[in-house]
Amino acid sequence: MISWIVSVILFYPYLGGMSELKESVSIGGKMAFIPTGSVASIVGFTAVVQTLPEFQSMIDGIFNLNVPVGFILILSVCLIAAITGSSSSSIRIAVPLVMERCQKAGLSLAYIHRVSCFASSIIDELPWSSAVIINMDIADLKLKDGYPPIFVSSCVATLCGTAVCAIFMQLFPYLP
């Protein structure tokens, strides 16, 4: 709010008077509503999803898979990121759920931290994520036109980075 007030004071001579200032504030408020609402809905959705008993059953099912525990960590974090559409939400929800199990399986905290940070960004940019919706709206693009490059740069590239990180942390587990 302080930065907004300072901006109005500094740029007032260039805004064209009080009527144009009111119009600018009105347009800015309308444009801010969609991103703010999108983020708020993700936070609310995340809070509801993690309270569902089916959610815990799904996590338990992932941990019962017969695959290496590093893959289970990546899969768990990706699943939460896909559901919530948010990498920060996936870290906030998935890591506390899987950390104890991963440690019991022999993964270090450094491994869990680094790999989950990479994994949280693999599929957090699916078409329903707030970042994609907001950026498509800002760029005035249709999803079918703007999403393919987003998918390659945010999903495919981070999948490769996560694989490299997991392999590197497996080979050198005692790095700080």
Side-chain angles (χ1 to χ4, degrees):
M1 186 66 166
I2 293 170
S3 65
W4 180 80
I5 292 170
V6 170
S7 296
V8 168
I9 292 169
L10 293 175
F11 293 109
Y12 186 76
Y14 306 102
L15 293 174
M18 189 56 93
S19 64
E20 287 193 34
L21 174 63
K22 287 179 183 178
E23 184 179 338
S24 295
V25 169
S26 175
I27 291 170
K30 288 176 187 175
M31 292 180 73
F33 181 74
I34 292 173
T36 304
S38 296
V39 171
S41 67
I42 291 293
V43 171
F45 180 74
T46 301
V48 170
V49 165
Q50 64 185 348
T51 62
L52 298 174
E54 291 83 3
F55 177 75
Q56 189 60 46
S57 297
M58 188 172 51
I59 294 297
D60 291 339
I62 290 172
F63 271 91
N64 291 329
L65 295 174
N66 190 20
V67 294
V69 71
F71 184 74
I72 290 173
L73 171 66
I74 293 168
L75 186 61
S76 300
V77 172
C78 285
L79 179 67
I80 305 300
I83 291 171
T84 62
S86 168
S87 58
S88 59
S89 293
S90 70
I91 292 291
R92 187 173 59 93
I93 295 169
V95 172
L97 290 174
V98 301
M99 186 170 58
E100 184 179 329
R101 293 177 180 184
C102 289
Q103 282 183 298
K104 285 180 182 175
L107 296 181
S108 68
L109 288 176
Y111 183 100
I112 295 167
H113 173 261
R114 289 185 181 124
V115 172
S116 61
C117 285
F118 272 84
S120 69
S121 298
I122 294 174
I123 55 174
D124 69 328
E125 296 290 320
L126 292 175
W128 58 79
S129 77
S130 59
V132 171
I133 293 168
I134 291 167
N135 287 321
M136 290 291 119
D137 188 47
I138 290 170
D140 197 27
L141 288 172
K142 301 253 186 247
L143 194 61
K144 66 179 179 137
D145 298 328
Y147 187 69
I150 290 174
F151 179 79
V152 170
S153 64
S154 67
C155 298
V156 175
T158 54
L159 174 64
C160 295
T162 302
V164 168
C165 179
I167 291 167
F168 193 79
M169 290 299 298
Q170 194 70 40
L171 294 174
F172 306 104
Y174 297 107
L175 288 176

